[in-house]
Amino acid sequence: MRQRSNASRGFTLVELLVVIAIIGVLVGLLLPAVQAAREAARRMSCSNNFKQLGLAMHNYHSAYKQLPIHGGGTDGPGAPVPFGNAGASTNWWTNYGSNNAWRLSALVGLTPFMEQQALWEQISNPSVVNALDPSTPLTTPWPAMGPTVQFLQYQPWVTNLPMLRCPSDPGQGLPAQGRTNYGLCMGDSIDWSVRGPRNNPTRTGGGALPAWKWQYHSGWSQRSRAADRGIFVPHGDAKFRDILDGLSNTIAMGELITDLGDRDTRGTQSINGNPPNEIRDNPSYCLDNNQVDPLRPQYWAPGQNTEGANNGRGYKWADFRPNWSAIHTIAPPNAAIGGGNNAGQTGMFPPSSRHQGGAHILMGDGAIKFITSSIEAGNQRAANVWQNNTVTPPGSASPYGLWGALGTKASKEVISEEF
């Protein structure tokens, strides 16, 4: 009589393949949800960074009765510095190391108010640290408030601050220095966005103005008052009392991506005129002149001249110039940058982000908004408001619709809809 075997029966190959297929389908269904959840968490973290920056801005204003100057810092005669041009100790133009030439962004002034007191102490005092060789102290120290921002040897300028980084932005390391994903709002005009109301005298001495001083200049002040309509004015004082349209109706800061070296139209600027009057007179100049790749609209066209690899968007958190730490409310979020002939010249720098469909902004009252790339932005071929513009002269309502109105602080525009 045969005995029945009690040994367990194994899986067949077909059964195993069916199970693997089912697991694969489940993973395929769940993966987008997991990725979406991760991005939602990163987006929330980015929003929280902005919230902390808003608190820092309000605490600064409470302490000093004004906002930090965007384009502040030091100026003065040449002096021996660790890394300067030999024989240039009295020539400001070739020896930036003895001062920072009023190029510091408002983010520098905010450092003590965003839990970076230690970094502020490094900046506000002379330093003998060489960031490229920290084990060997310098014999000649850096000046208090540091040199201009291009010096890689100056430790604070190459420090990445977590509060200034969006978790969704993958940009890391060189050729950037200290990256930032958050920039100060300069309003709805690019005219005078690197000059403001103060003019510099001849820095080698003499001139009509006292040597080694930045002075308010009548012509520059008139030009600045006409065009610098955002909360932050380059080289100028800014106070909450100046925001006549209301803190809750005016943008203080906006998000921006950092360049990845991939010719993204949001991360590196096209090269145009000096000054870039083409962009000032027509914000859609780059599109109208076929500078954007029609097959890949987020990238510059093959052969289009763009800024060098060292000057990508958001590469220098401590530099006030718009390419690195500022935004304009002309083109809507994630539109192409329209630049001048170099990174230091004024260009049109919209907000941008790695989040889907828009970018975060910080309002003057500290509220965080996510603005979609489809926000109503008026006539994108209308010239900016500036001093000699007869179509939209100084004092005009923003030609860039709701988006432009949100960027101006005292244009008497009424925000009649939720955004």
Side-chain angles (χ1 to χ4, degrees), residues 29-44:
L29 292 173
L30 292 175
L31 188 59
V34 172
Q35 291 174 332
R38 287 178 175 174
E39 170 54 24
R42 289 192 292 264
R43 180 168 155 177
M44 184 177 296

Side-chain angles (χ1 to χ4, degrees), residues 134-145:
S135 62
T136 306
L138 299 169
T139 56
T140 302
W142 297 109
M145 299 309 296

Side-chain angles (χ1 to χ4, degrees), residues 37-315:
R38 287 178 175 174
E39 170 54 24
R42 289 192 292 264
R43 180 168 155 177
M44 184 177 296
S45 178
C46 177
S47 176
N48 185 62
N49 286 344
F50 244 152
K51 176 66 71 175
Q52 298 305 313
L53 287 170
L55 289 172
M57 182 179 70
H58 277 258
N59 287 335
Y60 186 102
H61 194 281
S62 179
Y64 297 108
K65 311 307 177 191
Q66 69 172 57
L67 294 168
I69 293 178
H70 191 59
T74 58
D75 195 5
V81 291
F83 300 93
N85 295 328
S89 62
T90 60
N91 189 338
W92 182 92
W93 296 106
T94 55
N95 188 5
Y96 293 123
S98 62
N99 58 74
N100 54 55
W102 281 63
R103 287 192 183 177
L104 301 188
S105 75
L107 298 172
V108 175
L110 288 178
T111 52
F113 297 87
M114 55 185 190
E115 299 185 350
Q116 293 294 333
Q117 182 66 32
L119 182 65
W120 172 252
E121 294 293 341
Q122 291 183 39
I123 296 170
S124 58
N125 291 286
S127 170
V128 294
V129 176
N130 175 3
L132 300 183
D133 184 13
S135 62
T136 306
L138 299 169
T139 56
T140 302
W142 297 109
M145 299 309 296
T148 49
V149 182
Q150 72 265 30
F151 283 91
L152 296 176
Q153 300 93 336
Y154 188 61
Q155 184 71 52
W157 298 162
V158 295
T159 300
N160 278 291
L161 304 180
M163 193 182 292
L164 297 182
R165 297 306 317 278
C166 170
S168 294
D169 191 302
Q172 295 292 335
L174 295 173
Q177 291 174 221
R179 295 181 187 238
T180 178
N181 289 111
Y182 310 112
L184 292 308
C185 182
M186 309 297 286
D188 67 339
S189 179
I190 73 172
D191 195 58
W192 242 237
S193 279
V194 294
R195 293 180 175 88
R198 286 183 170 106
N199 188 11
N200 57 283
T202 303
R203 289 177 175 77
T204 51
L209 297 171
W212 317 111
K213 301 287 186 181
W214 278 75
Q215 299 286 342
Y216 280 96
H217 181 274
S218 177
W220 282 41
S221 292
Q222 292 178 45
R223 191 100 179 228
S224 178
R225 283 196 300 270
D228 295 330
R229 310 197 320 163
I231 286 183
F232 289 91
V233 175
H235 305 309
D237 298 334
K239 300 178 175 67
F240 283 157
R241 70 181 185 188
D242 302 327
I243 307 172
L244 303 183
D245 289 347
L247 293 174
S248 63
N249 295 325
T250 309
I251 295 172
M253 296 181 69
E255 190 177 358
L256 54 94
I257 70 167
T258 66
D259 183 32
L260 302 180
D262 55 0
R263 291 176 63 83
D264 191 316
T265 57
R266 306 167 300 165
T268 187
Q269 64 187 52
S270 63
I271 298 299
N272 295 290
N274 177 19
N277 291 343
E278 309 96 331
I279 308 297
R280 184 195 65 189
D281 296 336
N282 176 13
S284 296
Y285 177 86
C286 298
L287 291 173
D288 293 346
N289 286 272
N290 304 314
Q291 295 182 1
V292 177
D293 190 340
L295 299 177
R296 304 172 73 220
Q298 196 172 303
Y299 297 89
W300 295 113
Q304 172 58 36
N305 192 17
T306 59
E307 183 53 71
N310 293 329
N311 293 318
R313 184 82 158 121
Y315 271 15

